[in-house]
mmCIF file of all heavy atoms in Angstrom:
data_model
loop_
_atom_site.group_PDB
_atom_site.id
_atom_site.type_symbol
_atom_site.label_atom_id
_atom_site.label_comp_id
_atom_site.label_asym_id
_atom_site.label_seq_id
_atom_site.Cartn_x
_atom_site.Cartn_y
_atom_site.Cartn_z
ATOM 1 N N ASN C 1 -45.558 -115.105 54.313
ATOM 2 C CA ASN C 1 -46.076 -115.223 52.995
ATOM 3 C C ASN C 1 -47.304 -114.355 52.675
ATOM 4 O O ASN C 1 -47.916 -114.558 51.669
ATOM 5 C CB ASN C 1 -46.261 -116.669 52.604
ATOM 6 C CG ASN C 1 -45.058 -117.558 52.804
ATOM 7 O OD1 ASN C 1 -44.022 -117.112 52.315
ATOM 8 N ND2 ASN C 1 -45.218 -118.659 53.463
ATOM 9 N N LEU C 2 -47.704 -113.489 53.577
ATOM 10 C CA LEU C 2 -48.901 -112.697 53.372
ATOM 11 C C LEU C 2 -48.634 -111.647 52.201
ATOM 12 O O LEU C 2 -47.488 -111.130 52.046
ATOM 13 C CB LEU C 2 -49.221 -111.877 54.617
ATOM 14 C CG LEU C 2 -49.754 -112.736 55.764
ATOM 15 C CD1 LEU C 2 -49.891 -111.807 57.019
ATOM 16 C CD2 LEU C 2 -51.161 -113.381 55.431
ATOM 17 N N ASP C 3 -49.685 -111.388 51.470
ATOM 18 C CA ASP C 3 -49.571 -110.448 50.354
ATOM 19 C C ASP C 3 -49.363 -109.089 50.889
ATOM 20 O O ASP C 3 -48.520 -108.280 50.243
ATOM 21 C CB ASP C 3 -50.912 -110.357 49.528
ATOM 22 C CG ASP C 3 -51.187 -111.818 48.865
ATOM 23 O OD1 ASP C 3 -50.245 -112.372 48.359
ATOM 24 O OD2 ASP C 3 -52.431 -112.146 48.694
ATOM 25 N N PHE C 4 -49.903 -108.736 51.982
ATOM 26 C CA PHE C 4 -49.823 -107.370 52.526
ATOM 27 C C PHE C 4 -49.221 -107.454 53.957
ATOM 28 O O PHE C 4 -49.130 -108.581 54.483
ATOM 29 C CB PHE C 4 -51.144 -106.590 52.599
ATOM 30 C CG PHE C 4 -51.635 -106.286 51.164
ATOM 31 C CD1 PHE C 4 -52.474 -107.237 50.527
ATOM 32 C CD2 PHE C 4 -51.337 -105.124 50.573
ATOM 33 C CE1 PHE C 4 -52.996 -106.966 49.250
ATOM 34 C CE2 PHE C 4 -51.802 -104.872 49.298
ATOM 35 C CZ PHE C 4 -52.673 -105.675 48.632
ATOM 36 N N ILE C 5 -48.943 -106.303 54.583
ATOM 37 C CA ILE C 5 -48.419 -106.239 55.891
ATOM 38 C C ILE C 5 -49.657 -106.300 56.782
ATOM 39 O O ILE C 5 -50.397 -105.387 57.040
ATOM 40 C CB ILE C 5 -47.645 -104.966 56.155
ATOM 41 C CG1 ILE C 5 -46.485 -104.818 55.200
ATOM 42 C CG2 ILE C 5 -47.204 -104.900 57.626
ATOM 43 C CD1 ILE C 5 -45.778 -103.438 55.308
ATOM 44 N N GLY C 6 -49.894 -107.514 57.306
ATOM 45 C CA GLY C 6 -51.061 -107.736 58.151
ATOM 46 C C GLY C 6 -52.204 -108.310 57.319
ATOM 47 O O GLY C 6 -52.244 -108.153 56.056
ATOM 48 N N ARG C 7 -53.163 -108.925 57.974
ATOM 49 C CA ARG C 7 -54.314 -109.471 57.282
ATOM 50 C C ARG C 7 -55.466 -108.453 57.155
ATOM 51 O O ARG C 7 -55.421 -107.417 57.721
ATOM 52 C CB ARG C 7 -54.810 -110.734 58.034
ATOM 53 C CG ARG C 7 -53.711 -111.887 58.071
ATOM 54 C CD ARG C 7 -54.147 -113.057 58.818
ATOM 55 N NE ARG C 7 -53.205 -114.152 58.608
ATOM 56 C CZ ARG C 7 -52.065 -114.325 59.305
ATOM 57 N NH1 ARG C 7 -51.760 -113.552 60.243
ATOM 58 N NH2 ARG C 7 -51.269 -115.423 59.008
ATOM 59 N N SER C 8 -56.411 -108.885 56.352
ATOM 60 C CA SER C 8 -57.635 -107.959 56.082
ATOM 61 C C SER C 8 -58.384 -107.788 57.343
ATOM 62 O O SER C 8 -58.386 -108.462 58.400
ATOM 63 C CB SER C 8 -58.462 -108.563 54.996
ATOM 64 O OG SER C 8 -58.990 -109.876 55.474
ATOM 65 N N GLY C 9 -59.296 -106.689 57.235
ATOM 66 C CA GLY C 9 -60.113 -106.397 58.423
ATOM 67 C C GLY C 9 -61.103 -107.435 58.767
ATOM 68 O O GLY C 9 -61.260 -107.774 60.000
ATOM 69 N N VAL C 10 -61.691 -108.142 57.839
ATOM 70 C CA VAL C 10 -62.778 -109.114 58.124
ATOM 71 C C VAL C 10 -62.077 -110.412 58.728
ATOM 72 O O VAL C 10 -62.645 -111.010 59.683
ATOM 73 C CB VAL C 10 -63.527 -109.465 56.830
ATOM 74 C CG1 VAL C 10 -62.704 -110.210 55.862
ATOM 75 C CG2 VAL C 10 -64.743 -110.407 57.247
ATOM 76 N N VAL C 11 -60.888 -110.756 58.262
ATOM 77 C CA VAL C 11 -60.135 -111.880 58.850
ATOM 78 C C VAL C 11 -59.705 -111.589 60.227
ATOM 79 O O VAL C 11 -59.878 -112.364 61.250
ATOM 80 C CB VAL C 11 -58.976 -112.299 58.021
ATOM 81 C CG1 VAL C 11 -58.082 -113.350 58.685
ATOM 82 C CG2 VAL C 11 -59.444 -112.842 56.601
ATOM 83 N N ASN C 12 -59.237 -110.366 60.497
ATOM 84 C CA ASN C 12 -58.835 -110.029 61.860
ATOM 85 C C ASN C 12 -60.062 -109.994 62.792
ATOM 86 O O ASN C 12 -59.890 -110.363 63.949
ATOM 87 C CB ASN C 12 -58.170 -108.637 61.896
ATOM 88 C CG ASN C 12 -56.803 -108.686 61.338
ATOM 89 O OD1 ASN C 12 -56.050 -109.651 61.495
ATOM 90 N ND2 ASN C 12 -56.243 -107.621 60.711
ATOM 91 N N GLN C 13 -61.167 -109.616 62.317
ATOM 92 C CA GLN C 13 -62.396 -109.458 63.180
ATOM 93 C C GLN C 13 -63.117 -110.728 63.440
ATOM 94 O O GLN C 13 -63.693 -110.878 64.475
ATOM 95 C CB GLN C 13 -63.312 -108.281 62.649
ATOM 96 C CG GLN C 13 -62.765 -106.863 62.769
ATOM 97 C CD GLN C 13 -62.797 -106.430 64.263
ATOM 98 O OE1 GLN C 13 -63.246 -107.097 65.143
ATOM 99 N NE2 GLN C 13 -62.329 -105.176 64.421
ATOM 100 N N LEU C 14 -63.177 -111.629 62.458
ATOM 101 C CA LEU C 14 -64.123 -112.705 62.475
ATOM 102 C C LEU C 14 -63.469 -114.097 62.502
ATOM 103 O O LEU C 14 -64.088 -115.038 63.035
ATOM 104 C CB LEU C 14 -65.098 -112.631 61.373
ATOM 105 C CG LEU C 14 -66.121 -111.483 61.423
ATOM 106 C CD1 LEU C 14 -67.020 -111.488 60.119
ATOM 107 C CD2 LEU C 14 -66.985 -111.419 62.657
ATOM 108 N N ALA C 15 -62.282 -114.261 61.911
ATOM 109 C CA ALA C 15 -61.747 -115.629 61.867
ATOM 110 C C ALA C 15 -61.453 -116.137 63.317
ATOM 111 O O ALA C 15 -61.082 -115.396 64.221
ATOM 112 C CB ALA C 15 -60.458 -115.562 61.105
ATOM 113 N N PRO C 16 -61.744 -117.476 63.601
ATOM 114 C CA PRO C 16 -61.664 -117.987 64.954
ATOM 115 C C PRO C 16 -60.320 -118.079 65.582
ATOM 116 O O PRO C 16 -60.134 -118.341 66.756
ATOM 117 C CB PRO C 16 -62.138 -119.409 64.739
ATOM 118 C CG PRO C 16 -63.049 -119.398 63.589
ATOM 119 C CD PRO C 16 -62.354 -118.367 62.565
ATOM 120 N N ASN C 17 -59.206 -117.759 64.735
ATOM 121 C CA ASN C 17 -57.832 -117.616 65.318
ATOM 122 C C ASN C 17 -57.259 -119.004 65.749
ATOM 123 O O ASN C 17 -57.813 -120.044 65.552
ATOM 124 C CB ASN C 17 -57.794 -116.634 66.563
ATOM 125 C CG ASN C 17 -56.539 -115.862 66.585
ATOM 126 O OD1 ASN C 17 -55.483 -116.269 66.349
ATOM 127 N ND2 ASN C 17 -56.699 -114.553 66.749
ATOM 128 N N ARG C 18 -56.042 -118.945 66.407
ATOM 129 C CA ARG C 18 -55.486 -120.150 66.924
ATOM 130 C C ARG C 18 -56.326 -120.623 68.091
ATOM 131 O O ARG C 18 -56.908 -119.891 68.857
ATOM 132 C CB ARG C 18 -54.053 -119.955 67.404
ATOM 133 C CG ARG C 18 -53.033 -119.904 66.204
ATOM 134 C CD ARG C 18 -51.676 -119.560 66.717
ATOM 135 N NE ARG C 18 -50.629 -119.831 65.685
ATOM 136 C CZ ARG C 18 -50.202 -119.009 64.797
ATOM 137 N NH1 ARG C 18 -50.792 -117.791 64.679
ATOM 138 N NH2 ARG C 18 -49.279 -119.330 63.913
ATOM 139 N N GLN C 19 -56.384 -121.991 68.269
ATOM 140 C CA GLN C 19 -57.141 -122.585 69.351
ATOM 141 C C GLN C 19 -56.525 -123.905 69.825
ATOM 142 O O GLN C 19 -55.640 -124.440 69.094
ATOM 143 C CB GLN C 19 -58.617 -122.919 68.799
ATOM 144 C CG GLN C 19 -59.445 -121.760 68.179
ATOM 145 C CD GLN C 19 -59.982 -120.892 69.305
ATOM 146 O OE1 GLN C 19 -60.010 -121.306 70.444
ATOM 147 N NE2 GLN C 19 -60.403 -119.636 68.890
ATOM 148 N N VAL C 20 -56.880 -124.282 71.019
ATOM 149 C CA VAL C 20 -56.420 -125.603 71.534
ATOM 150 C C VAL C 20 -57.570 -126.582 71.231
ATOM 151 O O VAL C 20 -58.697 -126.338 71.548
ATOM 152 C CB VAL C 20 -56.201 -125.525 73.096
ATOM 153 C CG1 VAL C 20 -55.738 -126.920 73.619
ATOM 154 C CG2 VAL C 20 -55.098 -124.486 73.409
ATOM 155 N N GLY C 21 -57.182 -127.672 70.555
ATOM 156 C CA GLY C 21 -58.170 -128.636 70.209
ATOM 157 C C GLY C 21 -57.649 -129.802 69.355
ATOM 158 O O GLY C 21 -56.400 -130.123 69.459
ATOM 159 N N VAL C 22 -58.465 -130.468 68.641
ATOM 160 C CA VAL C 22 -58.138 -131.621 67.806
ATOM 161 C C VAL C 22 -58.692 -131.382 66.382
ATOM 162 O O VAL C 22 -59.815 -130.884 66.280
ATOM 163 C CB VAL C 22 -58.582 -132.988 68.445
ATOM 164 C CG1 VAL C 22 -60.127 -132.955 68.578
ATOM 165 C CG2 VAL C 22 -58.046 -134.140 67.699
ATOM 166 N N GLN C 23 -57.924 -131.818 65.455
ATOM 167 C CA GLN C 23 -58.425 -131.746 64.031
ATOM 168 C C GLN C 23 -58.067 -133.038 63.184
ATOM 169 O O GLN C 23 -57.051 -133.606 63.398
ATOM 170 C CB GLN C 23 -57.643 -130.478 63.415
ATOM 171 C CG GLN C 23 -57.900 -130.274 61.971
ATOM 172 C CD GLN C 23 -57.095 -129.234 61.363
ATOM 173 O OE1 GLN C 23 -57.376 -127.989 61.582
ATOM 174 N NE2 GLN C 23 -56.025 -129.567 60.681
ATOM 175 N N VAL C 24 -58.949 -133.341 62.252
ATOM 176 C CA VAL C 24 -58.715 -134.347 61.308
ATOM 177 C C VAL C 24 -58.609 -133.699 59.918
ATOM 178 O O VAL C 24 -59.361 -132.737 59.630
ATOM 179 C CB VAL C 24 -59.722 -135.481 61.265
ATOM 180 C CG1 VAL C 24 -59.665 -136.236 62.628
ATOM 181 C CG2 VAL C 24 -61.145 -134.947 61.050
ATOM 182 N N SER C 25 -57.732 -134.232 59.120
ATOM 183 C CA SER C 25 -57.554 -133.577 57.752
ATOM 184 C C SER C 25 -57.039 -134.585 56.789
ATOM 185 O O SER C 25 -56.632 -135.735 57.147
ATOM 186 C CB SER C 25 -56.691 -132.367 57.777
ATOM 187 O OG SER C 25 -55.384 -132.736 58.229
ATOM 188 N N GLY C 26 -57.162 -134.243 55.487
ATOM 189 C CA GLY C 26 -56.676 -135.059 54.435
ATOM 190 C C GLY C 26 -56.943 -134.607 53.134
ATOM 191 O O GLY C 26 -57.631 -133.575 52.873
ATOM 192 N N THR C 27 -56.448 -135.275 52.145
ATOM 193 C CA THR C 27 -56.639 -134.944 50.737
ATOM 194 C C THR C 27 -57.268 -136.098 49.915
ATOM 195 O O THR C 27 -57.113 -137.257 50.333
ATOM 196 C CB THR C 27 -55.430 -134.465 50.033
ATOM 197 O OG1 THR C 27 -54.437 -135.480 50.044
ATOM 198 C CG2 THR C 27 -54.790 -133.267 50.764
ATOM 199 N N SER C 28 -57.904 -135.822 48.823
ATOM 200 C CA SER C 28 -58.394 -136.846 47.939
ATOM 201 C C SER C 28 -57.212 -137.585 47.280
ATOM 202 O O SER C 28 -56.059 -136.988 47.244
ATOM 203 C CB SER C 28 -59.353 -136.351 46.900
ATOM 204 O OG SER C 28 -58.751 -135.363 46.151
ATOM 205 N N GLU C 29 -57.444 -138.725 46.722
ATOM 206 C CA GLU C 29 -56.354 -139.483 46.079
ATOM 207 C C GLU C 29 -55.704 -138.685 44.902
ATOM 208 O O GLU C 29 -54.487 -138.891 44.642
ATOM 209 C CB GLU C 29 -56.796 -140.840 45.639
ATOM 210 C CG GLU C 29 -57.140 -141.760 46.764
ATOM 211 C CD GLU C 29 -57.482 -143.157 46.289
ATOM 212 O OE1 GLU C 29 -57.375 -143.403 45.087
ATOM 213 O OE2 GLU C 29 -57.800 -144.086 47.157
ATOM 214 N N ASP C 30 -56.525 -137.910 44.280
ATOM 215 C CA ASP C 30 -55.959 -137.184 43.087
ATOM 216 C C ASP C 30 -55.321 -135.815 43.547
ATOM 217 O O ASP C 30 -54.826 -135.071 42.753
ATOM 218 C CB ASP C 30 -57.056 -136.904 41.999
ATOM 219 C CG ASP C 30 -58.286 -136.135 42.556
ATOM 220 O OD1 ASP C 30 -58.220 -135.673 43.680
ATOM 221 O OD2 ASP C 30 -59.345 -136.135 41.866
ATOM 222 N N GLY C 31 -55.448 -135.484 44.838
ATOM 223 C CA GLY C 31 -54.846 -134.268 45.339
ATOM 224 C C GLY C 31 -55.666 -133.045 45.134
ATOM 225 O O GLY C 31 -55.234 -131.907 45.542
#
């Protein structure tokens, strides 16, 4: 679903990428 073929330069260089770990998440009641 990416807009372009591959991600931007800053995302490729700085985003922490896939990792092994644990995460908590959720949404507010109104979404």
Side-chain angles (χ1 to χ4, degrees):
N1 301 314
L2 290 174
D3 294 324
F4 293 89
I5 302 172
R7 294 178 172 86
S8 63
V10 66
V11 170
N12 284 330
Q13 287 289 354
L14 293 180
N17 217 316
R18 283 178 164 87
Q19 303 283 345
V20 178
V22 62
Q23 171 185 285
V24 294
S25 62
T27 59
S28 60
E29 291 187 1
D30 58 11

